[in-house]
């Protein structure tokens, strides 16, 4: 899709951070791709951010070092950024701009879509519905993931988000259905070590040939990170909507992505929003996260698990905050639980799956799922409150009942949340929930109807063979 | 037609040169793709345009055409049960034209111009009619859609049509061969005229206990629902869309999730309006500008929505307009303002943010409509607000707070505890309480005010006591104060908590709300009386009626609760101290 005439300029007038400014551009289109040819022949890629009669502003993905204002040539392609996509991408590794990084030849494109994507017409969306069993109790039991959902992991520096993401990827399955899945992995600014952890994970489970990697590592150009998730999602859409696959997209680390966004905004001297991030970051993040979902009449789906690091463990920081406003819930990791050896250290109180009710209940998981989840949650929340009280007044001041709640909270963390590498079925998860609830007096189980208690309470249920 | 050319593109903002003669808010078609935009600034011969579609691919030098018209919406039968984008393009037709993903440069009219409606005239030849007069009706689902004389016409009826008409057909012809069509067009940025505003003396009942009983909103009132993410703004707005006692609901998904619109689209055809027994979809108009759709159309979407709301109000109906989230609208304003390089105000929002917000909420109200029949109508506006970091000191929350009558503050801690709706009873308020008291006294119970005030008093007291407990532990409290904590726990768990997903409790009739509260307070009175006779609190709390109270919301109706109140009084009065 090369335009007939390419237009080349040598009028770089100004360079600032990742941006170059080109004077007197003619008929440049907003958002088009630009090749920047350095004096030594090196070719870089950029994209037009702003055009006027006097100047065009171009962001250079690989950065502007060694760009000069005399010999650097800028060639406009007339085309938005596109990527070659194909089912053959499975098992391959690409860089952050979608070029092969594994030494193998480029893929033969089946399509060359614009990486910006187009918004799904809300009327064409189909409700996410299928329960995804991740094998992780804190997720399956209390914050259920549903196919087509976007459910991020909010992590802190040094917390084992990658391990959890790998575990979810390894264990996830939709009950009563196999095959037809693929994983698209987008790395933005993570270390080689982190990336190779994922590769080894996928390799050891034999899933490597179902994965497409897009790697922009810590020492790769930062601005390229703007394009990486877009390339990944474009490939995912191709797999989902052309090849009917159920695609899980893991994007890590969104905080690095947002920093790249901030860098460009600063270079453009825009009015900064909170903590220097641009005011349009919500809209920008939406243009990624909203690419998750299902579409009526199409068989494939896109489920997203973005990972982000909360700077200073602060959930109100703009990156987790804006993400939480867009995604359909969040899984929050806690430093406190991590220190106490809970693995995975998921704090269920601030965690949420907004689509949970679509994926659970009779015919999907089990009839008592909602009740058990509400009850476990409420009891744990109460137990946690008591902990704070105990810190002040001491345990002696508590009633027997309150002590039972303290124990519940303790056991909940150690037995329900903490499971190390174990892969639990939803029955196992709910079973553990019931076993813990049995430590509380039956009348305390206000969120569970009497019939359910009869049927499932370990001390009351009729023995089933 | 006025024509210029693109001289600058910066995201959704385009500058066009050679546009002298343009007016503010003229609609323009931008570039080879004929993208729709609106003039938002004039500077010499340059018009600055916000474009409602993605501008990728636009070049300098491409043509810009000024249509000379402001942004208008079509108003007529066929709006109900529809879903539009921010500039009133029907999304189902967009799917037909351009597939599952939204492409650009498509113009489609909002109403179906081929469909015929059975028009029943109510005027005769010779009648003199003026603005707002009803000419006749068509049946739009369950609603008598009143075909009215537009606000700027009057004259003598010379010809009356009847039977199957399209929205383009004339319903009547006035003297001088002036047709009054079955549909009207109206510029969205200008409020439709009405007779006068009326006092907010009738509640908009929502079936939600914390709203109706503690912080009621009036028909024609305004409310805001601020809260951090996951606190329940969207669920609240959707709950209101389901159960509010309005004739028409306009639901605006403004910069939020696509799947949430799917929710409404899939559930509303199934759910029945408890008052009419008809599917809820039939009274609903939806507008979806989801967060990944163009940002400028987000700014327009709330005006598109409220103009349609005004049209049904003018027909004499009660309309509820629910906007989720007004923060996204404000952010769209900020983004465009930033690209205009305007002087930023607080947190980068433009200085006119407060004025724009006020002007929008001012379009709410209960009004005497135009027209000879003296009908009244109302628009109640409930806006969700999404403060960054859940911090209510930010500009959109603060500026909205100054305007609205009801403040339903969502609390992150309550949401973390899964106490839903997570409306804080400490921070929330309703300025309509006093003007609505008469209505509740007459229509619910003469005791309503006293019950409500007592409940609020106890909840306040609980907050104070809890501070003490945090310092010294619960044992240090005297029995009478422990009793308060027990009762307020019942108020919170058995009254205020109300699951939007419960089949039997998602909607709670106002009389039942009152009876539930009465039962809890009778339990309190009975406990206090028993304790006065030397009976320990523990013994009162062991009464089986306490568990009955917990079953009220899911399992008992108002009559059964009446019986329960009798049982509570009887059981408590016969209690004897255990030795
Ligand atoms: N009234 C309610 N009843 C039951 N659950 C609720 C209620 N309100 C909120 N929730 C829960 O909280 C979650 C988040 O609510 P939502 O309205 O999407 O939050 P927000 O729009 O404020 O981000 C929902 O998915 C649901 O699980
Ligand atoms: Mg919401």
């Amino acid at each position: 899709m090369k335009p007939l005439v390419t237009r080349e300029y040598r009028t770089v007038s100004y360079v600032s951070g990742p941006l170059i400014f080109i004077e007197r551009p003619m008929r440049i289109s907003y958002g088009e791709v630009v090749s920047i040819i350095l004096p030594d022949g090196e070719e870089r890629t950029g994209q037009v951010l702003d055009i006027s009669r006097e100047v065009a502003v171009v962001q250079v993905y690989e950065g502007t070092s060694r760009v000069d204002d005399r010999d650097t040539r800028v060639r406009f392609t007339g085309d938005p950024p596109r990527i070659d996509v194909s089912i053959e991408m499975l098992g391959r590794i690409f860089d952050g701009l979608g070029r092969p990084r594994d030494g193998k030849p480029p893929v033969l494109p089946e399509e060359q879509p614009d990486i910006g994507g187009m918004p799904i017409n809300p009327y064409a969306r189909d409700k996410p519905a299928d329960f995804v069993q991740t094998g992780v109790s804190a997720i399956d039991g209390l914050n259920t993931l549903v196919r087509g959902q976007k459910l991020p992991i909010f992590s802190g520096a040094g917390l084992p988000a990658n391990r959890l993401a790998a575990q979810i990827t390894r264990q996830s399955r939709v009950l009563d259905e196999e095959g037809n899945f693929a994983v698209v992995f987008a790395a933005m600014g993570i270390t080689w070590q982190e990336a190779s952890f994922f590769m080894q994970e996928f390799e050891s489970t034999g899933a490597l040939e179902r994965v497409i990697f897009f790697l922009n590592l810590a020492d790769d150009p930062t601005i390229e990170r703007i394009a990486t998730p877009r390339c990944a999602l474009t490939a995912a859409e191709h797999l989902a909507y052309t090849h009917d696959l159920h695609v899980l997209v893991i994007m890590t680390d969104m905080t690095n992505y947002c920093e790249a966004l901030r860098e460009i905004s600063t270079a453009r001297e825009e009015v900064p929003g909170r903590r220097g991030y641009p005011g349009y970051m919500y809209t920008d993040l939406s243009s990624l996260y909203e690419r998750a979902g299902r579409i009526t009449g199409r068989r494939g789906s896109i489920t997203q698990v973005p990972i982000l690091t909360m700077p200073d463990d602060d959930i109100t920081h703009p990156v987790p905050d804006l993400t939480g406003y867009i995604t359909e819930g969040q899984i929050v990791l806690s430093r406190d639980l991590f220190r106490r050896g809970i693995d995975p250290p998921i704090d269920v109180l601030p965690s949420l799956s907004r689509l949970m009710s679509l994926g659970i209940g009779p015919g999907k998981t089990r009839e008592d799922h909602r009740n058990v989840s509400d009850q476990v949650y409420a009891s744990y929340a109460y137990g946690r409150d008591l902990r704070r009280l105990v810190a002040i007044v001491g345990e002696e001041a508590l009633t027997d009942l309150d002590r039972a709640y303290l124990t519940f909270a303790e056991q909940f963390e150690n037995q329900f949340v903490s499971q190390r590498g174990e892969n639990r079925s939803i029955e196992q998860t709910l079973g553990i929930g019931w076993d813990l609830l049995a430590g509380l007096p039956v009348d305390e189980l206000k969120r569970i109807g009497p019939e359910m208690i009869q049927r499932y309470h370990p001390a009351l249920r009729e023995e089933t063979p | 037609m006025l024509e210029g050319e693109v001289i600058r593109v910066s995201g959704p903002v385009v500058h066009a040169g050679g546009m002298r003669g343009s007016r503010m808010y003229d609609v323009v078609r931008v570039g080879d793709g004929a993208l729709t935009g609106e003039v938002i600034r004039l500077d010499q011969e340059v018009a600055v345009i916000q474009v409602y579609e993605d501008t990728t691919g636009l070049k300098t030098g491409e043509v810009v055409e000024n249509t000379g018209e402001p942004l208008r919406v079509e108003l007529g039968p066929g709006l109900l049960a529809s879903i539009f984008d921010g500039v009133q393009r029907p999304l189902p037709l967009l799917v037909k034209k351009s597939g599952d993903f939204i492409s650009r440069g498509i113009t489609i009219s909002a109403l179906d111009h081929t469909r015929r409606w059975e028009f029943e005239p109510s005027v005769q030849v010779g009648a003199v009619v003026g603005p707002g007069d009803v000419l006749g009706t068509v049946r739009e689902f369950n609603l008598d859609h009143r075909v009215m004389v537009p606000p700027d016409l009057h004259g003598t009826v010379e010809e009356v049509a009847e039977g199957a008409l399209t929205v383009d057909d004339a319903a009547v012809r006035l003297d001088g061969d002036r047709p009054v069509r079955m549909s009207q067009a109206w510029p969205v940025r200008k409020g439709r005229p009405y007779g006068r505003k009326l006092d907010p003396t009738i509640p908009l009942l929502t079936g939600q206990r914390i709203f109706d009983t503690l912080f009621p909103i009036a028909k024609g009132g305004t409310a805001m629902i601020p809260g951090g993410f996951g606190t329940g703004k969207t669920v609240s707005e959707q709950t209101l869309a389901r159960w509010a006692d309005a004739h028409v609901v306009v639901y605006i998904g403004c910069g939020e999730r696509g799947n949430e619109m799917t929710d409404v689209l899939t559930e509303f055809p199934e759910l029945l309006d408890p008052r009419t027994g008809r599917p809820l979809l039939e009274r609903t108009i939806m507008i979806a500008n989801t967060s990944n759709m163009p940002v400028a159309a987000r700014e327009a979407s709330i005006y598109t929505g409220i103009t349609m709301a005004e049209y049904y109000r003018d027909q004499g109906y009660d309309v509820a307009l629910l906007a989720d989230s007004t923060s996204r609208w404000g952010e769209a304003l900020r983004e465009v303002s930033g690209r205009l390089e305007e002087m930023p105000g607080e947190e980068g929002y433009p200085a006119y943010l407060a004025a724009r917000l006020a002007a929008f909420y001012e379009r709410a109200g209960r009004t005497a409509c135009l027209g000879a029949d003296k009908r009244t109508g109302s628009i109640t506006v409930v806006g969700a607000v999404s403060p960054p970091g859940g911090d209510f000191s930010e500009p959109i929350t603060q500026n909205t707070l100054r305007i609205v009558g009801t403040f339903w503050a969502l609390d992150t801690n309550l949401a973390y505890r899964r106490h839903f709706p997570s409306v804080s009873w400490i921070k929330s308020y309703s300025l309509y309480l006093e003007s609505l008291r008469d209505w509740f006294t007459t229509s619910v119970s003469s005791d309503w005010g006293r019950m409500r005030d007592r409940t609020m008093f106890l909840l306040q007291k609980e907050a104070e006591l809890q501070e003490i407990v945090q310092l010294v532990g619960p044992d240090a409290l005297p029995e009478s104060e422990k009793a308060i904590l027990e009762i307020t726990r019942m108020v919170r768990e058995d009254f205020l908590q109300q699951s939007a997903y419960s089949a039997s409790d998602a909607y709670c009739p106002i009389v039942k709300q009152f009876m539930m509260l009465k039962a809890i307070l009778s339990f309190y009175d009975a406990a206090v009386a028993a304790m006065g006779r030397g009976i320990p609190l523990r013994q009162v709390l062991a009464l089986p009626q306490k568990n009955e109270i917990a079953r009220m919301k899911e399992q008992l109706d108002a009559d059964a609760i009446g019986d329960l109140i009798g049982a509570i009084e009887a059981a408590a009065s016969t209690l004897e101290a255990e030795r």
Side-chain angles (χ1 to χ4, degrees), chain A residues 397-414:
Chain A
L398 296 189
T399 60
D400 288 346
L401 180 61
D402 284 352
R403 254 178 247 136
Y405 273 108
L406 271 187
T407 313
F408 177 87
E410 202 67 34
Q411 289 178 335
F412 171 77
E413 289 166 359
N414 288 314

Side-chain angles (χ1 to χ4, degrees), chain A residues 1-7 29 32-33 76-85 109-115:
Chain A
M1 245 177 260
K2 288 270 145 54
L4 296 176
V5 254
T6 51
R7 290 139 299 145
S29 64
E32 76 175 277
V33 169
F76 289 85
T77 63
D79 217 24
R82 293 176 186 277
I83 176 182
D84 295 348
V85 293
E110 295 169 353
E111 264 185 287
Q112 293 180 303
D114 174 352
I115 65 168

Side-chain angles (χ1 to χ4, degrees), chain A residues 12 14-22 34 36 38 44-50 56-67 74 221-226 257-270 280:
Chain A
V12 172
Y14 180 64
V15 183
S16 162
L19 304 181
I20 58 179
F21 295 69
I22 294 126
V34 175
I36 298 103
L38 267 51
R44 295 188 188 166
T45 308
Q47 189 179 3
V48 175
L49 288 187
D50 197 318
V57 183
V58 170
Q59 66 180 10
V60 185
Y61 287 126
E62 296 92 336
T64 52
S65 66
R66 292 185 297 115
V67 170
V74 179
T222 51
I223 301 308
E224 193 179 286
R225 286 166 203 165
I226 304 283
Y257 170 83
C258 291
E259 267 157 24
L261 216 55
R262 177 165 66 178
E263 197 177 323
I264 290 171
S265 175
T266 311
R268 295 183 71 182
E269 295 173 12
E270 291 171 337
Y280 49 80

